[in-house]
Amino acid sequence: MGNVVVDMAASLDGYVTGLNQRLEAPFGDGEVEKDLHSWMFDTAEENTAELEAITDAGSFIMGRNMFSPDRGAWDLDWRGWWGPNPPYHGPVFVLTHHERAPLEMEGGTTFHFVTNGLAEAMKLAREAAGERNISVCGGAQTVNQCLAAGLIDELRLHVAPVLLGRGGRLFEGIGRIGLEQVGVRQATRVTHLRYLVQRD
């Protein structure tokens, strides 16, 4: 059985989005996407290993807010932020309170919409992943929920040299968690940190 891993780009003060996320500003007000993710695009060659690791999993879990800007009933014309061929190339389990039929995309990605909570999504993701890892993609609330429930094995943070001060923040309301640092690498626009989550 694989591990449950998290890959998140974050500011130095732990924010992964700004305020007021919406269709026109997926990461919220300001230049949050540029601040946190320029290393993925402008210096991709310098960060090849980390970029490849982000989607190297057998299945994926994400919160509804990461899949869609909408709340409430689904806009069935909405098919995600990533175009017809999302980068996951496997099953993705989206946490939601609203039922929706599975959405098959190009390249092997299928979005499954789970209405029975995190435990059910994790069960389905484990079954789908087999011996491979499960990746919890985000957003912050979903990652925090998984950490609080003791479900994460490895935490990979990609820390950008910026202070956002407000927005969607990692580590809110989860209590104390011990971490073992197993990797660190400095690049031009980001510092990559890897931790194993310690179990009591």
Side-chain angles (χ1 to χ4, degrees), residues 4-28:
V4 180
V5 303
V6 169
D7 272 283
M8 292 293 284
S11 66
L12 193 59
D13 51 348
Y15 291 94
V16 300
T17 65
L19 296 176
N20 302 315
Q21 288 178 271
R22 56 197 183 278
L23 180 61
E24 299 80 12
F27 288 90

Side-chain angles (χ1 to χ4, degrees), residues 9-80:
S11 66
L12 193 59
D13 51 348
Y15 291 94
V16 300
T17 65
L19 296 176
N20 302 315
Q21 288 178 271
R22 56 197 183 278
L23 180 61
E24 299 80 12
F27 288 90
D29 295 336
E31 297 188 341
V32 176
E33 183 172 12
K34 178 182 175 184
D35 289 338
L36 299 185
H37 298 96
S38 65
W39 64 273
M40 294 181 174
F41 307 105
D42 298 342
T43 59
E45 298 82 6
E46 187 181 359
N47 300 285
T48 300
E50 289 82 9
L51 288 170
E52 290 177 351
I54 289 173
T55 54
D56 183 17
S59 65
F60 304 83
I61 294 174
M62 68 175 60
R64 168 156 181 179
N65 294 359
M66 183 166 175
F67 176 81
S68 167
D70 297 323
R71 307 296 180 264
W74 287 105
D75 171 3
L76 296 181
D77 291 332
W78 180 262
R79 300 172 65 84

